[in-house]
Amino acid sequence: MMLPELRSLCPLIQVFDMPLSLAFYRDILGFEIVQQSSPGDNCDWVWLKRDGAELMLNTMFESDSR
C-alpha cells in the first residue's frame, strides 16, 4: 500500500492563558498571526505561521472557568 505524502502539519495546542501564549509564540519565537477569533491578545483561537511552520492555539476553558 502506498501512503500519501505529508507536506505539512498544523497542530492545535490547547492553552490556559492566551495572552501569555501569544507573548511566547509571537513575540519570542517570531510566529505571525494569520487569523484569530477576535482582535487583541485575549482571543479564544489563533492561527500562527513562521517560515514553513503553522500552529493553532485554542483556549482550554471558557473565559469564566480560567
Side-chain angles (χ1 to χ4, degrees):
M1 171 183 4
M2 186 170 184
L3 296 175
E5 179 182 342
L6 295 177
R7 296 183 186 198
S8 67
L9 294 172
C10 185
L12 175 63
I13 301 170
Q14 299 289 337
V15 300
F16 184 76
D17 186 318
M18 185 63 79
L20 184 62
S21 298
L22 285 172
F24 176 71
Y25 287 101
R26 181 191 58 208
D27 303 339
I28 295 173
L29 295 183
F31 280 83
E32 293 183 15
I33 295 175
V34 175
Q35 192 171 355
Q36 61 193 103
S37 60
S38 60
D41 288 0
N42 205 21
C43 58
D44 291 319
W45 171 86
V46 65
W47 172 22
L48 301 162
K49 280 181 148 181
R50 179 179 164 230
D51 303 323
E54 297 182 34
L55 59 92
M56 293 182 289
L57 305 176
N58 193 71
T59 51
M60 192 175 298
F61 303 106
E62 296 299 322
S63 59
D64 59 345
S65 300
R66 284 183 238 143

